[in-house]
Every structure is written in structure tokens, then in C-alpha cells.
Amino acid sequence: MGETGMMEELCTVTIHGKGRTLATQAPPGSSLYSLLTASGFAVNAPCGGNGTCGKCLVRVSGGSGGGDSASPVTEGEKRFLGDRLGEGYRLACHTTLAGSLEVWLPEADSDMKILSRGRAQNGPFRPLVGKTVLHLESPAQDDQTPHWERLMKAWRQVRKREADDLCGERQDLSLGEMKRLSEAVLGGVSTLTVVDVGGKIVALEEGDTSKVNFGVAFDIGTTTIAGYLIDFAAEREASSAVAANPQRPFGADVISRIGFTMNRPDRLREMNRVIVDGINGMIARFAESARIGPENIYAAAFAGNTTMMHFLMGLPADGIARAPFVPVTTDMMFLSPRETGLNINRNGSAVILPGVSAYIGADTVAAVLSTGMHKNREISLLIDIGTNGEIVLGNRDGMVACSAAAGPAFEGAGISCGVSSITGAIDGVRLEPEFRISTIGEGRASGICGSGIVDAVAELRASGIVDEKGRFLSDPSSLPGPLRERVTEISGQRAFILAGREESSSGTDIAVTQKDIRELQNAKAAIAAGIR
Ligand code: FES
């Protein structure tokens, strides 16, 4: 190569993830975090790679800190990792490449336990997708009505009995469907099923297909996605599923994810791609379980916070994160599956439910509708506890709503030993009459999830280990022996050990620290301020 074209020597990085190993190359100085996410590995990164959460733990080869193959250990890593640095652990977003490396991602974080059932209040069943079976008269010398007009006349006659308001509207059919109509009539087909979405005709199908009519509904949360397959013909829920939101490697909360995509169209595309891929994966599993094809699903409805709706549509959410906090849209949208990349019937519709503002999203509107509080005379208070807590107060005469930045403590993030609801996460704590913890899946303790930290702090308070201000006792000598032994000091702050290193799957103490209690207090205070 000439002097200006000197080829830079690339670093080879071999990545071992859950069930997958990949060897890839990148120039020296590349961020390990960016390399891992770009290679499709899920890194636990609640702060979205900003270096502030201390959770993007990986183990790298070459002894402590990857030897000369990785950038020097940062002050932040020393603070977050302590002794674990000596075992080869690094924080991916603090580490850049200096040579060839072997990297191991932690096993955890795959089997999230997500509650997906609850009590539903069922309203009248009015599916968005209608199917109308028509038996058309054949054209004849004395009836030269064009095919489309003939079909429309028959459709209006049948539908008029059901919904007057639908039938006066002008209808347009795509040219592709118009061709299909012509071929069907010329081929002697006399029975056709007309498919409409919200009263707008979108497709024609030969024969009577009225019994095969499905839709899907998704609630896209920042942490999890809940999905439902609805059999419109049978008027029932055919299947449901939950999954972790695949955008989690880009940040635990909406602000981290917006920060990740801000002024970066390539990252916005990636954010959109992972969520659409995740939804399509769930749709494929639904279709398989119901033994139907994705083309039998005509509508996909979405609720979620305003940022999640933006990422689903591939819209920049930058305006949501900075004053004056203006989203691109909170309107109800009917989008084509082709435009959104969703794998349902190509003539169907992706429906984005309406929101209210940048921080009162379609999920809050859906929650209000499903509780029916907007119809009640009595005043109700609705609280959606999460990274952002949405609060609605009101009745049929009017409502006020606000959003409180609770932070991710309720999801187990921002907590020193916090994990999401994965196998081994401590989800229950009792201190008296005797010390007891429960873990998800009854595995060895791997960290503390949101319900675990709430439980732990409540128990610490009840047993007097922390005072009413959330401060640890300065002198624990008055505590019973088994509890006293668990009070310790970690990195200069008081802490209470829930699982010692010999009992935990990570080989480190799992403890609640003074800072964790402050995090939980802040989260609770944010919700309380919203209510007030
Ligand atoms: Fe690396 Fe938060 S510190 S993702």
C-alpha cells in the first residue's frame, strides 16, 4: 500500500454469547460495547452505553483487563467492579480494543419471568376487521354492471344491515385486488369474501374465508412486550405471549434509548429493526401455534409509551427528550404492513393507538379505556408504575394526567446488584422470624429484581435496620445475631447482605446498599409527587 493507504491492522474479537460464538474484526480503538451490539449480542446496558450503570459486564481473555489487548481499566470500572477486575471482568462500554480479544458474555438475562395474565374487563366485541361473504350473480347481456360496481352493490346490501355508517363511504380497491376480482369473475368464481379494516375494503378472497380472521395486539413496554393473538371469527383470544423488549441493550429507560439514537439515523434504523424483528418473531410463533399463516392476520394494534411508538414507526424520538418535549405525533395511525415491515397480511393494517403527549402514551390511554374509569361517576386514580410512572385522576367529566420519572429502580436497574426478573433474581425477602429469601426459578441468587428490592427495603425498615428516613442504623450491635452478621460495609457505604458470595451464582455478595435504598426512595417519591 502507498503511504496514504497504509492498511490498519484489525483486531480479531471472538465473542462467546448464549449458544453462539462469533469471530469478528474491528480497528483498534473500537468500543467493545458497540462491537457487541452491532454483532447482535444482547449486552445488559441499562444506561445505554453511557458508562454510568456499571452493568455491561463481560469477561475478556488475557488476564486482568484483557492484558495489552484492551484499553486500560478506567476509574469507573475500578469503582463498579472492584475485585472482579482481577478475574478478567470489564465493562463493555468502558473498554476499547487494543489488540485481539476473546470475550464472554454472562449467561444470565435470557429467561425473564414476566407476568402476562391478569383480570380483564371485557367490553363489547367489535373487531376492526370485517369479512363479508358475497355470492355474486354472473354478468349477462341484460346486466352489464362492471364487476367492481356489482360487488360493491352486493357488499353494501349485506353490510347495511350491520353498520349503516360504513356503507356510505367511498371505497377504492388497489389495482392488484381489482385484477384478482376480474380473474375470479372470469374464472367462474361466484363466492367471494370481502375483507374490510375499519369499514374500508382492503382485500378480496375467493370462496368463503370468513372463519379465518385474526388480529394481533401488542403492548410494547420499555422492558417487556406482551402480545395477543385474537381470533375475530370465534370472538376469543387464541394465544398470548410475553418477551423481553430486544431494545434493552440500547438502554433500560426511554431517555437512554433516545440518547442512543439522537442525531444517529443509523442507530434509529437499528432500534426500529430490532423491535420489528421481535414483533415479527412473536407473530410467527402465534401463527404456528394457531396453524395459520401470517397472511391470515389482518390487523396489528399497538399500545406503548410515546417513545416506543416512535421507534416502532422508525420516527426520531429526539424531541421527546429535550424541551419543549414535542413528539412527532401522538395521533392514531393506520399504517401499511409493508411500510412498517410487519409480517401480516400485506393488505391489512398496523394500528398505532393514540397517545396524549410525549410522556402520556397510548399505553396509558389503553389503561384508562380498559378500566372504564372514563365512564364512572366516582373519581378514580390510575397509576402505571414503571421506569416512567403515569398517573391519571378523574372520571367521566374529565381527567388530568401526569408522568413521573421514577427511574428504573422498580425494574431492578440502577440498583447495585439489580437484575431484571431473570432466573435466580431475588424476588422475595423475609427477615423475621427468620431470614429467608426466594429466587425466581429457585436457582442460586444472581441479583435482586424490582420486587426483591421493594421487599428487602420494606423488611429492613420493619426490623429497624433502616430508620424512617431510609438510613442504615449506625450501630447494628442491638440487632439479633443472624441479622447483625449480614450488616456490612461495601465501598464505604452500609449494606445488608441477602446472599453471600458462597450462595450466589456470580460468586460475589448480593447486597442492598445505602445508595440502593436512596434509589428506591427517589422512585417512590417521584410517583408520590405525581399523585400529589
Ligand atoms: Fe456500560 Fe451502563 S456502564 S452500559
Side-chain angles (χ1 to χ4, degrees):
M1 305 292 295
E3 47 181 38
T4 52
M6 275 294 258
M7 191 92 92
E8 192 173 28
E9 201 156 317
L10 295 174
C11 310
T12 300
V13 182
T14 309
I15 309 165
H16 304 275
K18 191 171 190 249
R20 181 177 162 226
T21 293
L22 176 87
T24 184
Q25 290 193 314
S30 304
S31 153
L32 183 55
Y33 168 75
S34 301
L35 182 70
L36 292 171
T37 51
S39 307
F41 288 91
V43 183
N44 185 22
C47 73
N50 274 333
T52 53
C53 68
K55 299 286 183 191
C56 53
L57 197 68
V58 292
R59 193 164 59 79
V60 297
S61 67
S64 169
D68 296 334
S69 304
S71 54
V73 171
T74 64
E75 284 305 313
E77 287 179 294
K78 287 183 193 156
R79 203 174 56 248
F80 285 122
L81 299 182
D83 292 350
R84 279 185 286 180
L85 279 169
E87 296 159 26
Y89 284 103
R90 299 291 305 263
L91 293 180
C93 77
H94 283 244
T95 307
T96 56
L97 302 182
S100 294
L101 266 187
E102 204 156 358
V103 182
W104 286 265
L105 281 108
E107 271 287 304
D109 236 25
S110 53
D111 308 318
M112 285 180 69
K113 183 179 152 187
I114 306 166
L115 194 63
S116 65
R117 310 302 312 171
R119 258 193 303 166
Q121 190 161 308
N122 292 325
F125 195 84
R126 289 207 307 262
L128 188 66
V129 180
K131 279 199 166 185
T132 312
V133 181
L134 299 178
H135 303 285
L136 295 179
E137 300 280 322
S138 300
Q141 280 294 7
D142 57 352
D143 180 4
Q144 296 175 333
T145 310
H147 306 323
W148 172 236
E149 282 84 327
R150 182 188 304 276
L151 180 128
M152 280 307 303
K153 198 169 143 200
W155 184 76
R156 287 203 161 102
Q157 270 169 3
V158 176
R159 290 304 296 260
K160 192 150 182 62
R161 290 196 290 272
E162 300 163 33
D164 260 345
D165 50 335
L166 296 181
C167 300
E169 279 179 24
R170 180 182 166 74
Q171 299 280 354
D172 294 303
L173 198 62
S174 72
L175 288 178
E177 292 302 294
M178 202 67 93
K179 257 186 219 154
R180 190 192 289 249
L181 170 65
S182 145
E183 283 160 12
V185 176
L186 293 177
V189 174
S190 59
T191 302
L192 283 171
T193 302
V194 179
V195 184
D196 70 89
V197 175
K200 177 162 177 27
I201 296 176
V202 295
L204 304 175
E205 294 173 350
E206 286 184 17
D208 178 352
T209 66
S210 59
K211 296 284 176 283
V212 187
N213 185 6
F214 289 83
V216 282
F218 291 94
D219 177 10
I220 305 182
T222 313
T223 310
T224 54
I225 305 173
Y228 305 87
L229 176 71
I230 309 294
D231 184 338
F232 290 143
E235 300 195 1
R236 68 182 180 93
E237 182 186 306
S239 191
S240 69
V242 286
N245 186 326
Q247 297 171 334
R248 286 161 65 241
F250 307 118
D253 53 66
V254 295
I255 298 298
S256 304
R257 282 185 214 166
I258 296 172
F260 183 78
T261 57
M262 200 168 273
N263 302 322
R264 288 289 300 263
D266 56 329
R267 289 181 171 183
L268 177 60
R269 277 195 297 278
E270 180 64 3
M271 195 70 92
N272 170 255
R273 186 192 65 75
V274 296
I275 193 69
V276 170
D277 283 356
I279 298 280
N280 280 339
M282 291 176 83
I283 290 174
R285 290 191 287 280
F286 279 150
E288 199 184 319
S289 71
R291 296 168 190 241
I292 57 171
E295 69 281 3
N296 300 131
I297 299 171
Y298 298 88
F302 295 94
N305 64 53
T306 305
T307 303
M308 292 303 109
M309 296 297 92
H310 275 52
F311 288 151
L312 176 68
M313 293 188 277
L315 296 175
D318 304 18
I320 294 175
R322 58 183 171 216
F325 309 109
V326 180
V328 177
T329 177
T330 54
D331 217 352
M332 185 155 180
M333 310 275 279
F334 286 79
L335 303 171
S336 93
R338 263 170 290 195
E339 207 177 9
T340 49
L342 291 167
N343 190 19
I344 60 171
N345 188 297
R346 64 196 170 95
N347 294 309
S349 206
V351 186
I352 312 292
L353 297 184
V356 176
S357 68
Y359 291 97
I360 307 288
D363 48 353
T364 306
V365 174
V368 167
L369 291 175
S370 77
T371 59
M373 64 184 281
H374 60 300
K375 295 189 202 149
N376 292 346
R377 199 154 60 89
E378 299 77 27
I379 290 179
S380 309
L381 177 72
L382 181 143
I383 310 170
D384 179 1
I385 296 179
T387 310
N388 262 333
E390 288 91 11
I391 295 146
V392 186
L393 179 75
N395 66 359
R396 65 188 182 192
D397 298 324
M399 293 190 196
V400 289
C402 72
S403 179
F410 290 129
E411 320 271 6
I415 300 294
S416 52
C417 294
V419 289
S420 44
S421 45
I422 55 171
T423 303
I426 297 174
D427 64 347
V429 178
R430 285 291 162 268
L431 299 190
E432 287 169 324
E434 63 182 26
F435 178 85
R436 195 155 40 88
I437 56 166
S438 62
T439 59
I440 292 176
E442 290 166 17
R444 279 164 80 83
S446 57
I448 313 169
C449 67
S451 15
I453 188 78
V454 170
D455 230 20
V457 174
E459 287 288 297
L460 289 171
R461 174 71 198 107
S463 58
I465 300 174
V466 300
D467 66 17
E468 73 277 8
K469 294 209 165 122
R471 220 176 7 222
F472 269 100
L473 278 183
S474 51
D475 176 14
S477 60
S478 58
L479 295 173
L483 294 183
R484 189 173 60 236
E485 284 160 17
R486 291 180 177 272
V487 179
T488 183
E489 201 142 296
I490 296 177
S491 305
Q493 43 173 332
R494 274 260 190 265
F496 185 86
I497 296 177
L498 296 177
R501 57 190 64 199
E502 60 294 336
E503 306 161 279
S504 77
S505 60
S506 60
T508 55
D509 289 339
I510 294 175
V512 179
T513 67
Q514 183 65 72
K515 183 170 166 291
D516 296 338
I517 296 177
R518 296 296 180 223
E519 290 287 337
L520 190 69
Q521 284 178 304
N522 284 340
K524 188 192 159 200
I527 302 284
I531 294 170
R532 198 166 295 174

